[in-house]
Amino acid sequence: MITILIKIAASLVLGVLAGFGAVYIFNKMPAAWLSDYDAKPPAELTDPHIQRVKGFPWRWIYAAGFSCLLIRLSFFDVQFAAAGLFACWALLIIGLADLKYMIIPDQFVIMLAISAFGFIPYQSGLMQPLLGALVGGGVMLMVGVLGGAAFKKEVLGFGDVKLFACLGLALGLTGTVVVLIGASLLSGIGAAIAMASGRAKKDDAKPLGPYICGMGIFYIFIVWPFL
């Protein structure tokens, strides 16, 4: 009973720190991290008085989400919970950055890749992370090349390729395939709803990162512990 109470208390404390920390870091990170290479950051990013993400209610929402994630995963395995928190925290920042500014910060993609070391004991084999990275990055690269040739414009940024390669490294082949299918379906549904409601046009650029990150968090939080 004491062990259970300690796990719950630790999960709540770490969850609040992760949720509050995500909002703080996103609002305070250098503007250059949220801009294209060698591009001058817009005023919105350099103005210290502008909150990129509102503190209320988002830090509490994120804190509640991370607390639930840790409580759930800690009863599965404490090391898996730590790796899951590390990966999901990076995925949240990446998803927010792509949603708001159409950019995927390399710094947090590297953080996601580092989290892969924590998931190694839960892979079915040492080749799984490598296969996940090859399939995830390879499929995104192929879509980008073929889509660019077909539509004569960039349809997928290289940031998405790097994101999926590093996510595949963390999730392994099975997780990569699940996230790939799920993100593709959700992005298609989201684009259809946006166009049907008049909030977007057919040729508008639409970020894929939030769908990839959302499905990655869903896989770690819901699917993987049951496999």
Side-chain angles (χ1 to χ4, degrees):
M1 183 66 180
I2 295 177
T3 302
I4 293 174
L5 291 176
I6 291 174
K7 285 184 177 181
I8 293 174
S11 297
L12 291 173
V13 171
L14 291 174
V16 169
L17 290 175
F20 277 55
V23 173
Y24 179 83
I25 293 298
F26 192 81
N27 285 331
K28 298 298 182 180
M29 76 171 76
W33 292 14
L34 295 170
S35 306
D36 289 325
Y37 298 122
D38 300 323
K40 183 180 179 180
E44 179 186 357
L45 292 176
T46 56
D47 188 340
H49 302 293
I50 294 179
Q51 283 189 307
R52 299 165 187 165
V53 172
K54 299 294 184 183
F56 183 83
W58 291 108
R59 60 189 174 198
W60 288 105
I61 292 174
Y62 298 149
F66 282 120
S67 295
C68 291
L69 180 145
L70 282 169
I71 290 172
R72 173 179 168 74
L73 296 186
S74 65
F75 284 95
F76 169 67
D77 186 278
V78 172
Q79 181 179 331
F80 188 88
L85 175 63
F86 198 70
C88 290
W89 195 87
L91 287 168
L92 173 62
I93 298 294
I94 294 168
L96 285 173
D98 200 27
L99 179 65
K100 290 183 68 67
Y101 304 112
M102 296 285 287
I103 198 77
I104 295 178
D106 289 338
Q107 294 79 6
F108 296 97
V109 174
I110 293 171
M111 182 178 176
L112 178 61
I114 293 172
S115 75
F117 289 101
F119 290 116
I120 289 176
Y122 310 99
Q123 303 283 4
S124 59
L126 292 178
M127 287 299 295
Q128 286 295 308
L130 296 178
L131 290 173
L134 287 172
V135 170
V139 169
M140 289 292 103
L141 183 60
M142 183 176 65
V143 170
V145 172
L146 295 179
F151 297 102
K152 307 301 180 183
K153 65 176 183 178
E154 185 181 88
V155 297
L156 194 68
F158 193 64
D160 294 302
V161 177
K162 292 184 289 185
L163 169 59
F164 225 126
C166 291
L167 184 59
L169 196 64
L171 302 188
L173 181 59
T174 301
T176 300
V177 172
V178 172
V179 172
L180 181 62
I181 295 173
S184 300
L185 290 174
L186 288 177
S187 64
I189 294 171
I193 293 174
M195 287 189 290
S197 63
R199 291 186 290 108
K201 298 179 181 179
K202 184 178 180 180
D203 295 330
D204 287 348
K206 304 170 186 67
L208 184 59
Y211 298 102
I212 297 173
C213 294
M215 278 302 303
I217 293 172
F218 176 81
Y219 183 81
I220 293 171
F221 186 27
I222 302 295
V223 179
W224 201 346
F226 286 106
L227 294 179

